[in-house]
Amino acid sequence: MKIGELAKAAKVSQRTIHYYENLGLISPMEREGASHRLYERETLARLEKIAALKRLGLSLDEISSVIDLYFGKKEGILAGKHRVIEMLREHLEKVDMQIDELSSFRSDLIVNIKHMERLYQEHQSGTDE
């Protein structure tokens, strides 16, 4: 299929396809004439897998490290899935740390707001007299 057909089927732009080619995530099967790229059905499957991995929160660098595993032998597919699980666990760990930091920051904000409100009230009471 040509790039326009592939883009439509994968629901991505032609620019995205070119970008993914530059990153080595996909590649055309062959060139027709001087300029037209032709793509296999596997390229559509790769684009769909890339989209699915992006929805999981993986970066394109992370996807690049596992995408080929999904399109090889069964052992590779399992290795790819295992690596994705590891990446997602790393993401979860980072998110948990961010939640802890934000929770602490929230507590500090509450203390500071109460302190500032108290100072404001004291100042307001002093000017009312």
Side-chain angles (χ1 to χ4, degrees):
M1 72 183 86
K2 292 184 180 178
I3 192 168
E5 298 166 321
L6 178 62
K8 185 176 180 179
K11 299 177 183 151
V12 298
S13 69
Q14 291 183 25
R15 178 178 272 175
T16 297
I17 291 172
H18 289 298
Y19 182 61
Y20 288 174
E21 281 181 21
N22 288 335
L23 294 177
L25 293 170
I26 61 170
S27 59
M29 178 178 71
E30 61 185 58
R31 289 190 181 264
E32 177 183 75
S35 63
H36 295 287
R37 294 172 170 96
L38 295 178
Y39 298 89
E40 299 177 280
R41 284 243 167 254
E42 182 181 296
T43 306
L44 176 58
R46 287 177 74 92
L47 288 170
E48 291 169 345
K49 180 56 71 178
I50 291 166
L53 293 171
K54 281 178 65 177
R55 283 192 300 275
L56 289 175
L58 273 66
S59 70
L60 290 177
D61 282 341
E62 290 171 320
I63 292 169
S64 179
S65 72
V66 296
I67 190 71
D68 288 336
L69 297 173
Y70 280 92
F71 294 93
K73 296 179 180 175
K74 184 179 178 182
E75 303 82 40
I77 294 170
L78 291 174
K81 289 181 178 185
H82 185 264
R83 181 62 189 124
V84 167
I85 291 167
E86 290 173 349
M87 288 178 196
L88 293 175
R89 284 189 175 138
E90 290 169 11
H91 284 249
L92 180 60
E93 192 174 306
K94 288 178 186 174
V95 167
D96 286 342
M97 286 175 49
Q98 290 173 330
I99 288 171
D100 290 345
E101 289 171 3
L102 285 171
S103 180
S104 176
F105 180 64
R106 183 180 189 282
S107 295
D108 290 345
L109 279 174
I110 290 170
V111 167
N112 288 327
I113 289 170
K114 288 179 180 178
H115 175 72
M116 292 302 294
E117 287 174 338
R118 192 172 54 253
L119 290 175
Y120 177 80
Q121 291 292 335
E122 289 172 5
H123 183 74
Q124 182 109 11
S125 296
T127 59
D128 287 344
E129 296 173 9

